[in-house]
């Protein structure tokens, strides 16, 4: 069985602060993919990143960065210099090669960035 | 590329009526489509998986007679909520994968259903 845990239900920060969203996963698959999605108030899921299990390189995209550590089964997401527009719900998700194409989502973290 | 649309984006209906939601892949052939339901402040819950031309596979606890899924073509899947009741009010999201994107789902914008 696969599981994704986002222990932080809600995070509140002030603009320009850095914030890290945690994601811990469980899977027995050796081949798997991890995802992060942003869901703004409009509801539409916005794809942020996909990372496969064989690529542990950290990635940076503008103010966003991701830290993938297989040793701790974590795939954390950091927003640097947060902005009000970053306020949204963020979901971490896992796809395993034996999951029949299904994605397992974490519970989501509500991020509120105050001006 | 890889755009998925949903129609309608918002629907309000009376209790007892049936509502059909369409999910279309606009620029690729969707071999598999997924339907999710999301209640306020909760995560996405997978309802069913459908492959073109075959019956949908429902997740445990999802009533197949209540939520009818049809995936008649490689670009269209429909979800019909039959005899809708207020407890069916939710945000319904579809996603699709293509033959070259089996490990990535492309999500539609969602449909907000309110049953009065």
């Amino acid at each position: 069985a696969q599981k994704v845990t986002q222990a932080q239900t809600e995070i509140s920060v002030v603009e320009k602060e850095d914030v890290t969203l945690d994601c811990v996963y469980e899977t027995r698959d050796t081949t798997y993919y991890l995802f992060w999605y942003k869901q703004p108030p409009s509801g539409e899921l916005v794809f942020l990143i996909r990372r496969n299990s064989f690529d542990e390189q950290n990635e940076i995209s503008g103010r966003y960065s991701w830290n993938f550590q297989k040793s701790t089964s974590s795939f954390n997401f950091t927003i640097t210099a947060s902005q009000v527009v970053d306020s949204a719900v963020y979901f971490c998700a896992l796809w395993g090669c034996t999951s029949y194409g299904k994605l397992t989502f974490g519970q989501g973290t509500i991020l509120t960035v105050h001006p | 590329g890889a755009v998925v649309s949903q129609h309608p984006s918002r629907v309000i209906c009376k209790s007892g009526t049936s509502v059909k939601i369409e999910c279309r892949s606009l620029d690729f052939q969707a071999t598999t489509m997924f339907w999710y339901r999301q209640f306020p402040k909760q995560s996405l819950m997978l309802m069913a998986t459908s492959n073109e031309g075959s019956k949908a596979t429902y997740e445990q606890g999802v009533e197949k007679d209540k939520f009818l899924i049809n995936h008649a073509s490689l670009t269209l899947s429909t979800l019909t909520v039959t005899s809708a009741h207020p407890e069916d009010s939710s945000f319904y999201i579809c996603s699709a994968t293509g033959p070259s994107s089996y490990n990535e789902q492309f999500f539609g914008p969602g449909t907000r259903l309110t049953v009065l």
Side-chain angles (χ1 to χ4, degrees):
Chain A
Q2 299 186 140
K3 186 177 180 182
V4 176
T5 302
Q6 294 178 255
Q8 304 148 307
T9 305
E10 294 192 48
I11 299 177
S12 183
V13 299
V14 177
E15 213 170 14
K16 298 185 183 177
E17 284 185 21
D18 297 347
V19 58
T20 295
L21 283 62
D22 297 333
C23 173
V24 175
Y25 63 92
E26 295 176 30
T27 180
R28 292 183 179 176
D29 291 329
T30 53
T31 300
Y32 54 89
Y33 286 78
L34 293 161
F35 300 81
W36 275 96
Y37 294 92
K38 174 182 180 180
Q39 188 177 43
S42 65
E44 182 165 4
L45 280 177
V46 176
F47 166 81
L48 296 178
I49 190 170
R50 176 180 66 171
R51 174 64 52 161
N52 77 57
S53 53
F54 300 106
D55 183 2
E56 283 193 77
Q57 269 195 320
N58 291 329
E59 182 156 339
I60 298 175
S61 176
R63 296 184 297 107
Y64 295 168
S65 62
W66 291 269
N67 184 308
F68 177 28
Q69 294 203 350
K70 285 179 78 169
S71 59
T72 55
S73 297
S74 66
F75 186 44
N76 297 338
F77 171 34
T78 298
I79 302 174
T80 304
S82 59
Q83 299 176 1
V84 173
V85 293
D86 295 327
S87 298
V89 183
Y90 291 86
F91 290 100
C92 179
L94 167 69
W95 179 98
C97 64
T98 62
S99 64
Y100 303 101
K102 299 178 188 178
L103 273 178
T104 300
F105 281 88
Q107 303 91 317
T109 297
I110 302 171
L111 173 64
T112 303
V113 181
H114 299 280
Chain B
V3 178
V4 175
S5 70
Q6 270 184 255
H7 179 80
S9 58
R10 187 180 295 266
V11 58
I12 300 173
C13 69
K14 292 183 179 179
S15 188
T17 60
S18 293
V19 175
K20 180 184 282 189
I21 302 169
E22 291 187 352
C23 177
R24 292 182 185 272
S25 57
L26 299 185
D27 51 2
F28 68 102
Q29 293 188 327
T31 49
T32 304
M33 284 185 166
F34 302 85
W35 286 95
Y36 296 85
R37 180 167 53 181
Q38 185 182 29
F39 291 109
K41 298 205 171 186
Q42 293 189 24
S43 188
L44 282 72
M45 186 190 79
L46 181 65
M47 300 173 67
T49 303
S50 74
N51 294 296
E52 184 264 339
S54 59
K55 288 184 179 179
T57 302
Y58 290 81
E59 295 298 299
Q60 194 171 10
V62 178
E63 301 172 59
K64 58 182 68 174
D65 294 331
K66 172 78 172 174
F67 299 100
L68 300 178
I69 291 171
N70 184 286
H71 191 165
S73 77
L74 281 171
T75 59
L76 173 65
S77 176
T78 60
L79 166 68
T80 301
V81 183
T82 61
S83 187
H85 287 97
E87 57 266 30
D88 298 322
S89 298
S90 188
F91 192 54
Y92 292 87
I93 305 172
C94 74
S95 70
T97 59
S100 60
S101 64
Y102 61 93
N103 55 28
E104 182 172 2
Q105 295 181 20
F106 301 100
F107 287 85
T111 296
R112 195 164 300 281
L113 170 64
T114 303
V115 185
L116 303 176

